[in-house]
Amino acid sequence: AFRNNPAEKLKPRLGAAMQAYDNAMSDYLVALRNNVTQTQDITMDTAAYDAVIRKAQAANANLWERNATELDGLLQARIDGFAHQKQFIEVFAALVLLMVLYLWMAFYSGFMRTVSRLKEVSEHMVSGSMDHVVILETRDELGQVVTSFNNVATRLRMEWVQAREESQRARAAEAQLRE
């Protein structure tokens, strides 16, 4: 836990409780060794032995209570960090989605404007007005389609003018033959 705590606040907060636990356990082990296990007779009275044990138990309980509190705090800090990361990712994804939506709408709008202009010019051509041209500022694939459309329209205009001239010559020749 000390190594995985980048803020390094855990060790100072638990230092006193760890030292008290270590001292109480050392006192207990010394009393146990000197007065119980390494002698023929138990030289320590029960009240003193109980006091040493109670001191070790109290230090143990205090240490683990402090550990639980501090580790809960660290865990909550880590959870909060992950929540902030999640929120950042969600906001970033929403912004990217909005940007994609905006670009899609811009593309769709430009595409529909071009299609609408092509339709308008083709309707004028069908009604007999051959002097309309589609003007488009883009140089993308739609611009190529419009250029091809304008080329076809120019060719149709030339054919239409040629057909009118031929029709007028034919009428003039027919009128001369009638005379």
Side-chain angles (χ1 to χ4, degrees):
F2 292 154
R3 284 191 307 266
N4 291 321
N5 179 13
E8 296 182 4
K9 295 179 181 178
L10 187 60
K11 195 169 189 176
R13 289 180 180 170
L14 294 178
M18 285 179 62
Q19 188 63 43
Y21 173 76
D22 187 44
N23 291 340
M25 287 306 291
S26 292
D27 291 346
Y28 170 71
L29 291 175
V30 166
L32 187 66
R33 183 177 47 243
N34 291 342
N35 299 313
V36 176
T37 59
Q38 292 183 351
T39 63
Q40 294 291 337
D41 296 336
I42 297 176
T43 59
M44 188 173 206
D45 66 30
T46 57
Y49 185 72
D50 284 345
V52 171
I53 288 177
R54 277 195 300 273
K55 181 180 173 189
Q57 287 174 335
N60 185 31
N62 182 41
L63 175 64
W64 288 109
E65 195 174 299
R66 295 282 310 227
N67 272 344
T69 303
E70 293 300 326
L71 291 176
D72 281 347
L74 288 177
L75 186 58
Q76 189 59 48
R78 188 170 277 186
I79 289 169
D80 292 344
F82 287 137
H84 289 301
Q85 281 181 333
K86 179 184 171 192
Q87 187 178 24
F88 173 76
I89 290 169
E90 288 171 347
V91 168
F92 182 74
L95 288 174
V96 168
L97 185 62
L98 285 174
M99 189 180 341
V100 167
L101 183 64
Y102 171 76
L103 291 173
W104 182 79
M105 294 290 288
F107 171 76
Y108 181 76
S109 173
F111 180 79
M112 290 310 292
R113 206 176 357 203
T114 301
V115 169
S116 170
R117 187 70 179 127
L118 283 171
K119 180 181 176 193
E120 180 184 312
V121 170
S122 67
E123 286 173 354
H124 284 293
M125 290 174 69
V126 167
S127 67
S129 175
M130 294 294 219
D131 57 345
H132 291 296
V133 175
V134 179
I135 299 172
L136 194 63
E137 295 86 27
T138 64
R139 299 183 193 274
D140 59 1
E141 289 79 7
L142 284 176
Q144 293 174 355
V145 169
V146 169
T147 300
S148 297
F149 181 85
N150 285 335
N151 290 342
V152 169
T154 301
R155 180 64 186 207
L156 283 174
R157 277 189 219 102
M158 290 176 15
E159 295 292 330
W160 183 70
V161 168
Q162 187 179 9
R164 278 184 76 189
E165 289 173 358
E166 290 294 325
S167 177
Q168 286 175 353
R169 268 191 250 139
R171 283 190 205 134
E174 187 180 313
Q176 283 181 353
L177 283 177
R178 282 192 204 159
E179 296 182 0

